Amino acid sequence: MPAVVAVGMQFGDESKGAVVDFLAEWADLVVRYNGGSNAGHTVVAEGLKYKFHLVPSGAARGKRCVIGAGVAFDPEVFMEEVKELRDKGRNVNVLVSLKATLLLPYHKELDASLTGESLGTTKRGIGPAYQDKMARVTGLRVKDLMAEDFPEKLKRVLELKEADLRRARVIKGDLKDYYEELLSRAEVWREFLRPFLGEDHIEVNEAIAEGKFVIFEGAQGTMLDVDHGTYPFVTSSNAVAGGACTGVGVSPLAIDAVLGVCKAYTSRVGAGPFPTELFGSQAEYIRERGGEYGTTTGRPRRVGWLDIPMLRYSALVNGVGYLALRKLDVLSGMRSIKVAVAYEIDGEERKVAPPFADEMSKAKPIYVELEGWEELDWREIVRKGWESLPEEMKAYIEFLERELNVKTVMVGLGPEREMTLAAPALKELLGSLIGVRAGE
Ligand code: IMP
């Protein structure tokens, strides 16, 4: 049953897109299970740059992809993304779950007007869409959009939400006019979506049963998970590895490995606690070199040192066995690199981050300093292989492996596909998943 979940261990933006794209060389199916177009997964390959928001990153290799039931599905973003992929000459082979939550234009407007500011959301309508899903009476699914009685369902939902929509000034005039405008847009989505729809639980479970290699691509990161992150400064879905089971409808027994994805430092977009946050020239250095600006919103990201208490927490709640470590090249040129190994909270030492916003806000990181490495020709290093990595960088990787009890399977030394360097343990992971095919 070769299935792996690639999960973000920090606050999102760990370069999961690049990791999934790298692994997708061997994959048969790449599956999104949570979130929506708040995600921004970047793949740089063959001279092209893809910015995926809804479509799984496997599409950059033309692989079969699935958008699962747990996703908040914005048909307008999907249409745009499919068109862009086709413009780039990509064959788009995506199944969209009939069970996925339908994210409508008013969700985006509500997000912008009501919740957007205090939490610093991406304003992609994520919170309001999942709110309606959980409320049930105001929720609509992709299946509803395709049904004969969609006009009646939409009318009922709009009537129930009218007061909220007026308060947020989404509806300024006649409800009937707003309804008719939405219905006519929905007609376009229905026609476009028809060839993509299906039952994700069947497609994915059959693939796993047939021994096909399935990658579940997490969106956002563990610390943004609605249940396990720094609530309320989180997104509204389950970003953790377990979300793959609920977000698609597969058994926990069907997942063989969890690949944690983390950057060599930490970043966060939007509000919320960030114990190892840096300010001033060091922050500037990392932000500029790492291109730390949001893929979805363009906002500058907050940056800071690597936070091992947080990663220990992530490793725990996700069951991380393997690690993909990204953006090591960004730290080049620093004489020494700090890593938080514990927190002090109210005079008490904590090895594992407490996932509570109030406690995390009080956390004082306890740092160790590791030796930095100089700027090198990373392309040349990737060409020569793992052994040619600078000793200080190897020491950094090994330190992390020991602290987290994980094995590194790849490191990222640049955004392009060819700048991901496979570690010796990648063979072990692929061997355990797909056996002999790994050598192909
Ligand atoms: P929302 O998911 O748009 O509701 O935003 C909630 C919080 O999650 C905000 O702090 C966002 O900046 C953050 N967030 C949501 N999606 C991503 C992502 O893909 N990468 C990084 N941060 C994200």
Side-chain angles (χ1 to χ4, degrees):
M1 294 186 296
V4 63
V5 185
V7 67
M9 296 183 78
Q10 297 160 315
F11 296 107
D13 307 316
E14 300 92 349
S15 308
K16 293 178 292 294
V19 168
V20 169
D21 171 66
F22 183 81
L23 273 187
E25 179 179 348
W26 297 275
D28 298 293
L29 204 57
V30 181
V31 185
R32 271 282 302 271
Y33 59 85
N34 76 301
S37 71
N38 49 348
H41 294 177
T42 308
V43 174
V44 186
E46 296 158 7
L48 295 172
K49 188 170 190 174
Y50 302 87
K51 286 185 181 183
F52 296 110
H53 297 289
L54 265 179
V55 171
S57 302
R61 290 187 188 263
K63 295 284 174 156
R64 176 74 170 157
C65 292
V66 170
I67 296 177
V71 169
F73 182 80
D74 180 337
E76 297 203 325
V77 171
F78 181 73
M79 277 170 50
E80 259 171 53
E81 238 165 85
V82 169
K83 283 181 190 153
E84 259 183 62
L85 274 163
R86 286 183 177 150
D87 287 346
K88 289 190 163 104
R90 281 284 154 221
N91 168 32
V92 184
N93 188 4
V94 183
L95 179 143
V96 176
S97 172
L98 284 160
K99 294 192 278 189
T101 293
L102 192 60
L103 189 150
L104 291 168
Y106 55 77
H107 291 125
K108 288 182 266 196
E109 292 176 69
L110 284 172
D111 197 2
S113 73
L114 297 177
T115 59
E117 291 316 320
S118 57
L119 298 176
T121 74
T122 61
K123 301 185 171 60
R124 294 301 186 108
I126 305 302
Y130 282 122
Q131 208 174 334
D132 281 340
K133 163 182 165 168
M134 291 307 186
R136 292 151 297 163
V137 284
T138 47
L140 291 166
R141 293 170 140 198
V142 171
K143 178 90 165 63
D144 295 317
L145 173 68
M146 305 312 290
E148 283 294 307
D149 63 352
F150 180 70
E152 291 90 80
K153 281 190 169 146
L154 179 66
K155 187 158 178 277
R156 172 101 188 105
V157 166
L158 288 181
E159 282 165 1
L160 287 170
K161 292 184 72 71
E162 185 177 357
D164 285 346
L165 295 174
R166 286 201 185 280
R167 201 173 318 121
R169 304 199 54 74
V170 177
I171 302 177
K172 297 186 195 90
D174 219 351
L175 179 65
K176 190 162 167 289
D177 294 342
Y178 183 77
Y179 165 69
E180 279 170 5
E181 188 205 315
L182 257 190
L183 258 193
S184 71
R185 282 163 87 173
E187 207 38 57
V188 178
W189 307 331
R190 281 155 69 108
E191 281 319 299
F192 189 89
L193 286 181
R194 219 174 286 283
F196 296 98
L197 304 176
E199 297 185 34
D200 51 338
H201 46 278
I202 292 182
E203 171 110 13
V204 178
N205 280 300
E206 277 184 4
I208 292 173
E210 285 165 16
K212 292 185 174 159
F213 180 23
V214 179
I215 303 174
F216 293 93
E217 177 178 8
Q220 291 81 50
T222 302
M223 304 315 290
L224 291 179
D225 182 283
V226 67
D227 292 306
H228 305 289
T230 54
Y231 192 89
F233 303 101
V234 292
T235 190
S236 305
S237 70
N238 285 117
V240 292
C245 297
T246 53
V248 178
V250 298
S251 162
L253 299 176
I255 311 283
D256 301 273
V258 177
L259 173 62
V261 186
C262 90
K263 278 198 281 220
Y265 50 92
T266 312
S267 74
R268 174 165 208 163
V269 208
F274 186 168
T276 60
E277 185 164 14
L278 281 169
F279 302 92
S281 60
Q282 270 176 324
E284 224 19 57
Y285 186 79
I286 295 175
R287 186 177 302 112
E288 291 312 311
R289 288 179 54 93
E292 295 296 348
Y293 294 88
T295 313
T296 303
T297 59
R299 289 179 289 177
R301 295 180 185 142
R302 301 157 67 194
V303 295
W305 297 120
L306 195 64
D307 183 335
I308 289 187
M310 189 187 293
L311 296 176
R312 282 195 196 104
Y313 173 76
S314 274
L316 185 72
V317 298
N318 291 301
V320 171
Y322 296 94
L323 189 72
L325 186 56
R326 305 293 308 176
K327 293 196 157 184
L328 278 158
D329 57 307
V330 171
L331 298 182
S332 311
M334 295 184 134
R335 207 154 12 95
S336 71
I337 301 172
K338 284 189 181 177
V339 176
V341 288
Y343 294 159
E344 192 221 293
I345 302 175
D346 293 334
E348 201 189 314
E349 191 174 311
R350 306 283 290 264
K351 287 268 190 203
V352 179
F356 306 106
D358 58 345
E359 293 186 30
M360 277 260 247
S361 303
K362 288 192 282 186
K364 293 193 192 96
I366 301 170
Y367 287 110
V368 295
E369 266 186 62
L370 303 181
E371 254 185 273
W373 49 86
E374 49 183 328
E375 183 76 274
L376 294 167
D377 180 350
W378 300 113
R379 218 162 259 281
E380 180 67 7
I381 302 256
V382 172
R383 202 183 54 72
K384 286 189 183 153
W386 189 261
E387 284 313 310
S388 66
L389 286 176
E391 287 309 315
E392 299 83 359
M393 190 185 274
K394 277 195 204 147
Y396 192 81
I397 298 166
E398 283 159 16
F399 180 78
L400 194 54
E401 289 184 322
R402 277 195 306 277
E403 291 291 321
L404 300 178
N405 194 23
V406 295
K407 287 181 183 166
T408 303
V409 293
M410 66 183 88
V411 294
L413 297 169
E416 303 85 8
R417 181 183 285 161
E418 67 277 12
M419 295 305 287
T420 291
L421 176 62
L426 180 67
K427 269 220 166 80
E428 177 189 315
L429 171 64
L430 285 177
S432 74
L433 291 169
I434 50 177
V436 287
R437 285 168 56 202
E440 285 170 12

